[in-house]
Amino acid sequence: MPSIVIVGTQWGDEGKGKIVHLLGKEADLIVRYQGGPNAGHTVVFDGKKFVLHLIPAGILIPGKTCVIGNGVVVDPLSFAEEVRLLERRKIRIRGRLFISEQAHLIFPYHKILDVAREEARGGSEKIGTTRKGIGPAYADKVERVGIRLIDYLEPETFPKLLEQNLALKRGAINRTSSVGKIRKEILRQAGSLRPFLKPFARDASRFLNQALDRGRKVIFESAQGTLLDIDFGTYPYVTSSNPIAGAVGAGCGVGPGKIGSVLGIVKAYTTRVGEGPFPTELTDAMGEFLRASGKEFGATTGRARRCGWFDALVVRRAIQVNGISDLALTKLDVLAGVDPIRVCVGYRYGGRRLDHFPNSRRVLDGCEPVYADMPGFGDISKEARRFEDLPGNARKYIRFLEKILGLKFSLISLGRSRDETIRRSARSLWGRGA
Ligand code: GDP
Ligand code: IMO
Ligand code: MG
């Protein structure tokens, strides 16, 4: 089946949006399978900048169909705002964007709970969430009290489920707001949001399987990154879903045999928003340089992203747990002028050398990165389209990363626009059946 899963290999913000915009040209459908409006995928083209939170970045390519799978948590209000914002900017949406009827919804009480839990944790226990209600909405789904789009659309079903939820969360809601106020707000919004959402609702799994069976090319667009995965990330400093490629199955009702290839997006250095361990973090002038040069500020919350050196243990874990078949390197241009460029090739822990990312919180906290230094390079021409067009030391850096990762970069991104990319392999990225 010609399909590509596009996953983040670090802590998110690797440049997934740009790569979706590039490869989406060749696709028929672009599908989100997890996460929610916590994501911020930036796409820049023709001098315009778009930030997508819930809607797949593929919507910016005329004529493509986009799907929000059942594994995504959807905030009806922010979804409506995102649609209207895009429409105001002349992006046609209706008839080419669908949401799974089985997707769970985020309500105002989820955001109240998200903030309350963060505040109760306080200090070093805080996760630094986006405060979009993601954790509480997924918790409700697993607790079996969640409200799906199909439930919301049925006027007979929804009020009963809402009451059940308000009763369960009464204490927590009343601490900062009031159940009466929240009920009124949700019911008032439902009046206008229900007719707005109805045309978007679909049996998305059936729709997708039919498309795949007809040979349509599908991109599965992940949000977040592998180290934010609820199972394989730096738990508990993670998001509440599985961004890894294996979640495509549960997140849109498509069997594993229908996945063609897995493309891992790798930033040429590392960033992280929010709290949690980050062994190669730089809190000095070099960190400031990367933040300024790479414009590393959160696309969803505006927070300054923490910046640090490339960490091979992080990306090697991602290659393994996602089954990554191809890699894309992004933001290489940001490293221009940095000399030396440091690369973490292992950790030192209690006199021992570790080559794999540890699972123990205690071990991770005590890890010191072991660095290899690579010589720096000057400005990279945005016109470079072949590997040979890159400065010698930039090629050296890339070859070194490939050696320690054990996989080659099929794409090398040198700027925000999709044209500013080197496509290296003649081989198709679409995998089996392409
Ligand atoms: P995502 O969440 O993975 O889609 O990544 P974000 O959009 O949050 O962050 C990546 C940022 O880097 C965006 O502002 C992109 O426009 C920008 N970007 C992507 N690729 C490149 C690149 O190769 N060079 C530069 N300088 N910027 C890039
Ligand atoms: P994209 O798709 C970077 C981080 C938050 C926080 C943690 C949990 O743009 O790469 P949550 O609100 O999900 O409960 O927060 O996850 N986080 C992201 N960091 N990029 C993202 O998305 C993120 N989505 C969530 O900062 O540390
Ligand atoms: Mg982002």
Side-chain angles (χ1 to χ4, degrees), residues 47-111:
K48 290 175 285 191
K49 179 176 139 183
F50 291 87
V51 182
L52 286 311
H53 296 290
L54 192 62
I55 300 175
I59 203 74
L60 300 173
I61 313 170
K64 307 297 175 187
T65 301
C66 290
V67 177
I68 297 174
N70 58 279
V72 177
V73 282
V74 176
D75 182 335
L77 197 59
S78 70
F79 170 75
E81 276 166 18
E82 199 166 325
V83 169
R84 293 204 179 103
L85 200 72
L86 288 170
E87 284 183 334
R88 247 182 275 138
R89 297 185 68 186
K90 309 275 181 266
I91 306 294
R92 206 177 61 76
I93 305 263
R94 318 276 163 141
R96 64 185 195 100
L97 173 64
F98 304 104
I99 310 177
S100 164
E101 307 171 322
Q102 289 154 302
H104 282 247
L105 301 186
I106 302 177
F107 291 103
Y109 51 78
H110 290 123
K111 290 193 220 169

Side-chain angles (χ1 to χ4, degrees), residues 13-17 40-42 305 331 333 413-416:
D13 304 325
E14 297 90 351
K16 298 177 290 294
H41 297 179
T42 311
R305 293 176 182 153
K331 306 193 89 160
D333 54 301
S413 169
L414 309 170
R416 303 184 94 176

Side-chain angles (χ1 to χ4, degrees), residues 6-8 12-20 38-44 49-52 57 221-225 265 267 269 271 273 293-300 305 329-335 382 412-417 420-421:
I6 293 186
V7 290
D13 304 325
E14 297 90 351
K16 298 177 290 294
K18 169 191 163 156
I19 301 296
V20 169
N38 48 351
H41 297 179
T42 311
V43 176
V44 177
K49 179 176 139 183
F50 291 87
V51 182
L52 286 311
E221 173 182 340
S222 174
Q224 291 84 49
I265 314 302
K267 202 181 274 192
Y269 48 96
T271 61
V273 210
S293 168
K295 297 193 172 62
E296 297 295 355
F297 294 89
T300 297
R305 293 176 182 153
L329 185 67
T330 60
K331 306 193 89 160
L332 182 66
D333 54 301
V334 173
L335 292 177
K382 303 253 182 207
I412 299 163
S413 169
L414 309 170
R416 303 184 94 176
S417 115
E420 294 164 338
T421 314

Side-chain angles (χ1 to χ4, degrees), residues 131-149:
R131 304 190 163 210
K132 301 284 180 194
I134 305 294
Y138 277 116
D140 276 1
K141 175 177 176 173
V142 177
E143 187 70 41
R144 292 159 293 185
V145 293
I147 302 179
R148 302 167 305 162
L149 177 57

